[in-house]
Amino acid sequence: MKAPTPNTLLARGLIVLLMALTLLPFLSMLSAALAPQGTYPNGLQWPADPQWSNFVKAFEVAKMDQLLLSSALIVLGVVPIAVLIATMAGYGLAKLTSQKYKWLYLIFVFGLTLPFEAVITPLYYEVRALGLLNTRFAIILPLIGLYMPFGVYWMRAHFLSVPHDLTEAAQLDGATRWKEFVLVQVPLARPAIMSLTILLFLWTWNQFLLPVVLVQDPMQRTMAGALGAFQGQWGTDVPLLCAGSLLILLPTVLLFLIFQRQFVAALMQGAVKG
Amino acid sequence: MSENTASVPGNQRPPVRLPPSRGSRKATMTAWLFIAPAAIAYAGFVLVPLGMSFYYSLLRWDGIGKARFHGLTNYVTVLTDADLLQIIGNAFQLVLYFTLIPVGLGLAVASAIRGHMAGRFGTATRTILFLPQVIPLVAAGIAWSWMFASTGLVNQTLKAVGLSSWARGWLGDFTWALPAVGIIGAWVLLGLCTMLLVTGITKIDASLYEAARLDGARPWHEFRYITLPGLRQEIGVCITVTVIAALASFDIVYISTQGGPGITTTVPGLEIYRLAFAHRQVGLASALAIVLMVLVLITIAPVQWFTRDKK
Amino acid sequence: MAGLTLRSVYKNYGEVPVIKGVDLDIDHGEFVVFVGPSGCGKSTLLRMIAGLEDISGGEVSIGDRVVNDVEPRDRGVAMVFQSYALYPHMSVYDNVGFGLKLAGTPKDVRDKKIRDAAKVLQMEHLLDRRPAQLSGGQRQRVAIGRAIVRQPDVFLFDEPLSNLDAALRVDMRMELSRLHHDLNATMIYVTHDQVEAMTLADTIVVLRAGRVEQAGTPLSLYDDPDNLFVAGSIRPRMLGRPLSVWEPAPCPANPLTVFALSPTARRKPTLPLTGSRHAMATMQSTPPMWLSRWAATA
């Protein structure tokens, strides 16, 4: 490593500034969350008497335990299935089909840039027709479909990088396609599957549009969706709102801090490939 | 991944080897079985709704009563109505903030540091800069609503440096609400773009810079002729991600301004939601949805075209 | 245990013919080597026998069974790939035993077979390692081990030695000869290396542009090539150089030209070894020095 030149010092200064800018809103929220309830706090100002009880209050008011459960149920409904069928389709498109079926892949890719808003209205009527409005399935089923373009694209790109010889070796070893998939391809795809899982988890947990449109009861929503309702209800009580928001973003932040390396890798690759 | 495939050396097999062809009917059946679940989910919850969106866009329908065929009238409305045009314009204005700030700052940092961010400092940087990517956009919206509030940190800072006259309720200001929303988006996307560009620049061969310096290149030349071309792909990624985030924004606006004041911060995503579920103009909402989809596609296509790795 | 028959076998990629009518009879226990320049279709032909490529026309039989529409796994063949194609996530033990596991072989039987194969290939100490922890030669052994545990009727080798360095190649050639001798199985081997062809084969099949140019014992092809192409494929670098073939020869850009121009071209060189069994005999009596020197020139 070379000694820091003025240029790298400048760069470090810039980065520290960016980090400060990134953290400021969180700090500002924290300081507001600790202000006495019902008051109107002032900017970033450490309160004389920090009211940690605001977090307890927010936890109770927002029924955070139920929210956590609801979000977890939705994630559990979406992510495993979406990852599994995206992996299967990625494998099918990469290894089992010839150039003739490129169009099928292109149809999947077409959905990559599709804004969810473009289909939200018909989704509402579709979900209503299925009788699923205001249930968690109203979020789970559409999300699985909406994740397919990225998931399939992602997994196909991975499977294309696996040497074809391995497939052929497995076939000669007597593996059916399914056995090859389960015993050879999926274990090899673990890094790609891991990244996809992280991304889909984040996107599901933070999903806002679908819960707001398709589910009335905040207790059946994702965390992010519930936050919308929480703001509607407590928007004027800044300390409580900030405390609630911090609580709601805490689970993903904690997971992120624990799996920092994997998250960063997944988010960067996810952007590059998406 | 590279470690896992390490047992298969990059052999010198000539690239002319044709792909294996085993097109038997049974093989095709197996392929379909693997693809079918994803295809069904995708068709059921994306393609069919998209088709319905298009169908609705040709109707005049309040979502409850009888629908009347309306031809392309809804599209004409979307493309001529002053309010709707302003709303679409708002989205493109947001692009300026969502895209230019993160990409510009990211490029500045990347070309200044031009190397790995190793060690603890690197880890800390990555962790902090990625935080906004991990939290719900809604939370970002709430945090910044508080920052921009009349007693919030932004005004507090302005007052501290003697610019009290600048202090205002930013998100309620007809002129400043949209830029304020843009800043929120820029804040969310800044870390991702910076990290992408910083990582991208480490892949540029350092000897290129040395060679350029021997050729008498100034820092600006280095940036213009080495850094920018070398980062073309990463810049393309950043622009793609941020442009989509801007054009399809919903969460941030919904939370921070609800489109107001007036319609100064209303974006197509929010307007679709409002038209379809509040004003019961399902046809018009769907036409706007289709237009939004097309706008995203035609904005992204040239970016992809210019920044693709040309081999 | 089975021989192999190919009857006017064709292969087209779309409109492009790649294999243009190949007839071959391979006896049980024979060691057949396909040689030819790259693009001649030798690998494609091998892969068609394995079932990895469709057969556009004609018939491939293994034993007395036409296998055109039989899945690769049901053909009773095993293949060693140029890239080895080991499963990176499995230990050597599991790599070798994967086929048996899929076939539902009981665990104790499987274990015995794996250990026997490891013993034959002298890789018992490697069984717990992952492929990434092995050298090229060791990976090659694992790939061969994976083939032999399944006791296939036919072994297929697709340029298995081309990723090894020269000295290792010599060792592995001898190993393969020994294996062929011990296992008494039919082996089909694709290479573009004349030395491998001459040292290993009972029968050499020279392919050009999807057709069989000539097939026969190494000696018969060497002594009596039907045409320049065959001659060039079999002995490009030792043309007209009897006995001195072991010396490092200047490598002519185009062996065929040299053949045509060489004043000694018609003189018949003596070739000390042909066919794997001969090779075995020769190897046991001769120190392998000469062979490695030959290989170094090849």
Side-chain angles (χ1 to χ4, degrees):
Chain A
M1 288 268 97
K2 48 189 177 179
T5 61
N7 222 10
T8 59
L9 282 183
L10 174 83
R12 290 207 165 189
L14 257 173
I15 285 186
V16 170
L17 189 72
L18 287 190
M19 291 201 284
L21 274 176
T22 306
L23 287 179
L24 266 185
F26 292 104
L27 292 177
S28 150
M29 253 206 294
L30 182 63
S31 82
L34 294 174
Q37 228 171 74
T39 62
Y40 211 71
N42 204 345
L44 184 62
Q45 195 178 53
W46 198 253
D49 176 24
Q51 302 285 311
W52 295 99
S53 60
N54 283 350
F55 285 102
V56 181
K57 174 93 191 294
F59 191 96
E60 283 162 3
V61 168
K63 301 200 187 93
M64 205 66 76
D65 45 344
Q66 290 186 42
L67 275 186
L68 273 169
L69 180 71
S70 175
S71 278
L73 285 176
I74 291 173
V75 165
L76 285 177
V78 172
V79 178
I81 293 179
V83 169
L84 175 70
I85 67 179
T87 308
M88 284 171 57
Y91 167 74
L93 286 170
K95 293 288 181 201
L96 302 181
T97 53
S98 53
Q99 209 56 17
K100 238 175 24 192
Y101 289 91
K102 188 87 192 269
W103 59 269
L104 196 60
Y105 166 65
L106 290 177
I107 289 181
F108 273 108
V109 172
F110 160 76
L112 272 178
T113 60
L114 184 82
F116 285 11
E117 292 98 325
V119 291
I120 191 67
T121 318
L123 269 181
Y124 174 83
Y125 291 105
E126 190 179 350
V127 165
R128 195 177 66 173
L130 292 172
L132 297 174
L133 219 52
N134 295 323
T135 67
R136 292 194 189 94
F137 286 105
I139 302 170
I140 292 173
L141 293 179
L143 274 187
I144 292 175
L146 286 162
Y147 290 156
M148 281 309 106
F150 181 79
V152 170
Y153 172 79
W154 177 264
M155 292 313 300
R156 175 181 174 272
H158 162 78
F159 284 120
L160 281 181
S161 75
V162 176
H164 203 73
D165 284 359
L166 282 185
T167 298
E168 298 181 344
Q171 277 184 275
L172 285 165
D173 267 342
T176 58
R177 285 300 188 173
W178 180 250
K179 281 250 163 87
E180 179 210 334
F181 177 70
V182 173
L183 296 176
V184 178
Q185 298 287 357
V186 167
L188 281 179
R190 261 183 31 207
I193 291 176
M194 179 80 187
S195 300
L196 183 63
T197 307
I198 288 178
L199 288 172
L200 294 191
F201 159 72
L202 271 183
W203 295 342
T204 307
W205 193 270
N206 293 341
Q207 176 56 44
F208 182 65
L209 177 67
L210 263 63
V212 162
V213 172
L214 301 174
V215 178
Q216 293 291 319
D217 177 7
M219 290 304 124
Q220 308 276 321
R221 289 182 176 177
T222 59
M223 282 287 217
L227 189 52
F230 188 77
Q231 190 217 25
Q233 214 173 342
W234 303 96
T236 48
D237 190 341
V238 175
L240 196 63
L241 178 62
C242 286
S245 305
L246 283 173
L247 282 181
I248 275 177
L249 58 81
L250 200 61
T252 43
V253 170
L254 281 181
L255 272 180
F256 169 64
L257 291 179
I258 297 170
F259 297 106
Q260 191 259 131
R261 194 173 293 275
Q262 289 86 342
F263 268 69
V264 170
L267 284 165
M268 301 243 291
Q269 295 163 12
V272 172
K273 298 205 175 165
Chain B
M1 244 175 282
S2 58
E3 188 195 43
N4 275 337
T5 50
S7 80
V8 184
N11 55 47
Q12 52 285 66
R13 158 85 61 194
V16 289
R17 181 160 159 192
L18 295 152
S21 73
R22 299 199 67 244
S24 69
R25 185 160 297 170
K26 207 175 149 211
T28 315
M29 264 302 291
T30 319
W32 276 105
L33 284 180
F34 271 97
I35 299 168
I40 290 168
Y42 179 53
F45 292 101
V46 178
L47 294 181
V48 167
L50 198 58
M52 277 158 70
S53 246
F54 184 69
Y55 170 68
Y56 292 162
S57 74
L58 305 174
L59 303 178
R60 188 189 166 90
W61 186 36
D62 62 6
I64 304 163
K66 251 184 121 165
R68 277 216 324 268
F69 187 72
H70 213 42
L72 294 174
T73 321
N74 287 324
Y75 288 97
V76 174
T77 311
V78 169
L79 298 173
T80 54
D81 183 85
D83 282 1
L84 287 170
L85 282 178
Q86 190 195 336
I87 286 165
I88 292 171
N90 286 343
F92 279 95
Q93 269 193 59
L94 281 186
V95 170
L96 293 181
Y97 299 95
F98 278 46
T99 305
L100 287 188
I101 295 177
V103 174
L105 273 175
L107 273 175
V109 173
S111 49
I113 196 165
R114 214 165 71 204
H116 267 297
M117 291 197 298
R120 254 192 218 160
F121 181 70
T123 312
T125 314
R126 267 195 301 275
T127 310
I128 291 174
L129 290 186
F130 266 103
L131 268 182
Q133 283 288 308
V134 177
I135 63 168
L137 284 173
V138 185
I142 290 179
W144 277 91
S145 305
W146 168 231
M147 294 279 285
F148 281 128
S150 42
T151 60
L153 182 59
V154 174
N155 285 338
Q156 195 188 21
T157 313
L158 287 173
K159 281 172 189 153
V161 297
L163 290 170
S164 304
S165 58
W166 284 61
R168 64 196 74 212
W170 294 89
L171 291 169
D173 189 294
F174 273 86
T175 319
W176 290 101
L178 191 61
V181 169
I183 297 290
I184 306 180
W187 176 80
V188 170
L189 295 163
L190 182 62
L192 178 69
C193 286
T194 307
M195 291 311 302
L196 281 173
L197 294 170
V198 166
T199 311
I201 213 164
T202 59
K203 291 182 198 137
I204 300 176
D205 187 354
S207 59
L208 281 179
Y209 288 101
E210 285 157 14
R213 212 163 301 157
L214 290 177
D215 287 338
R218 296 308 204 73
W220 160 250
H221 293 134
E222 287 179 20
F223 178 75
R224 168 70 186 79
Y225 294 107
I226 300 174
T227 307
L228 269 191
L231 284 178
R232 192 175 55 193
Q233 249 184 314
E234 282 79 10
I235 294 174
V237 170
C238 287
I239 295 181
T240 308
V241 170
T242 53
V243 165
I244 293 179
L247 292 181
S249 56
F250 175 82
D251 307 17
I252 293 177
V253 179
Y254 181 96
I255 284 293
S256 59
T257 67
Q258 252 126 42
I263 55 163
T264 49
T265 60
T266 305
V267 287
L270 189 65
E271 185 66 8
I272 292 167
Y273 170 73
R274 197 178 283 164
L275 283 173
F277 301 108
H279 299 285
R280 303 224 152 267
Q281 290 182 279
V282 176
L284 189 57
S286 301
L288 183 58
I290 297 289
V291 168
L292 174 64
M293 181 190 80
V294 173
L295 281 178
V296 170
L297 277 178
I298 60 181
T299 316
I300 291 306
V303 177
Q304 291 286 322
W305 175 255
F306 279 119
T307 58
R308 192 148 9 111
D309 199 15
K310 289 174 184 113
K311 281 182 183 148
Chain C
M1 289 296 149
L4 207 92
T5 317
L6 276 66
R7 284 281 163 268
S8 56
V9 167
Y10 283 84
K11 171 78 188 174
N12 304 316
Y13 280 112
E15 298 288 299
V16 188
V18 186
I19 301 292
K20 304 162 188 166
V22 169
D23 286 281
L24 271 182
D25 288 289
I26 297 170
D27 290 337
H28 165 65
E30 209 173 344
F31 198 124
V32 180
V33 176
F34 294 171
V35 288
S38 57
C40 69
K42 55 190 190 301
S43 270
T44 307
L45 197 57
L46 189 80
R47 293 164 53 80
M48 287 162 79
I49 295 169
L52 299 172
E53 302 278 353
D54 283 340
I55 296 160
S56 307
E59 263 181 21
V60 174
S61 323
I62 298 175
D64 355 303
R65 186 166 64 131
V66 177
V67 294
N68 282 33
D69 294 322
V70 177
E71 290 287 321
R73 59 172 177 273
D74 301 323
R75 290 191 183 195
V77 300
M79 183 155 161
V80 176
F81 293 82
Q82 183 182 17
S83 66
Y84 319 136
L86 302 181
Y87 309 116
H89 59 296
M90 297 183 197
S91 66
V92 168
Y93 184 93
D94 290 334
N95 260 286
V96 174
F98 187 59
L100 296 173
K101 190 173 159 190
L102 288 172
T105 315
K107 207 163 176 209
D108 46 332
V109 182
R110 209 192 320 158
D111 185 70
K112 185 175 179 321
K113 286 188 173 181
I114 295 170
R115 296 198 184 279
D116 286 350
K119 201 167 179 182
V120 170
L121 292 163
Q122 294 149 24
M123 55 177 198
E124 291 142 300
H125 59 298
L126 303 176
L127 283 175
D128 292 331
R129 298 213 195 149
R130 293 281 175 103
Q133 298 165 300
L134 303 179
S135 69
Q138 290 169 333
R139 287 179 200 176
Q140 184 63 70
R141 278 166 201 277
V142 179
I144 293 171
R146 186 168 68 179
I148 64 178
V149 281
R150 300 187 50 223
Q151 296 165 319
D153 299 329
V154 180
F155 284 91
L156 306 172
F157 296 91
D158 189 1
E159 308 208 18
L161 305 186
S162 59
N163 284 331
L164 300 180
D165 61 44
L168 256 178
R169 257 204 302 257
V170 175
D171 290 346
M172 287 309 296
R173 271 207 299 268
M174 289 196 284
E175 193 105 19
L176 284 174
S177 282
R178 188 168 59 83
L179 269 178
H180 179 227
H181 184 82
D182 294 349
L183 296 173
N184 190 29
T186 312
M187 293 188 170
I188 304 178
Y189 189 105
V190 162
T191 182
H192 57 257
D193 181 328
Q194 310 85 23
V195 183
E196 279 178 23
M198 295 301 280
T199 47
L200 289 169
D202 296 320
T203 303
I204 292 182
V205 178
V206 181
L207 287 157
R208 169 156 74 161
R211 287 198 180 84
V212 174
E213 203 69 20
Q214 192 178 354
T217 64
L219 208 53
S220 70
L221 262 64
Y222 191 86
D223 286 344
D224 186 20
D226 284 357
N227 54 37
L228 284 180
F229 182 81
V230 171
S233 301
I234 295 302
R235 47 175 184 181
R237 291 194 183 105
M238 47 178 148
L239 298 171
R241 295 171 137 263
L243 297 182
S244 64
V245 292
W246 319 126
E247 301 301 326
C251 184
N254 182 346
L256 286 183
T257 327
V258 175
F259 178 77
L261 297 180
S262 169
T264 52
R266 306 237 154 239
R267 208 188 306 161
K268 197 184 281 183
T270 46
L271 191 72
L273 67 159
T274 51
S276 66
R277 280 165 211 182
H278 306 269
M280 272 307 291
T282 327
M283 270 179 245
Q284 275 149 9
S285 55
T286 323
M289 259 310 281
W290 57 266
L291 196 55
S292 56
R293 282 176 65 191
W294 187 12
T297 69

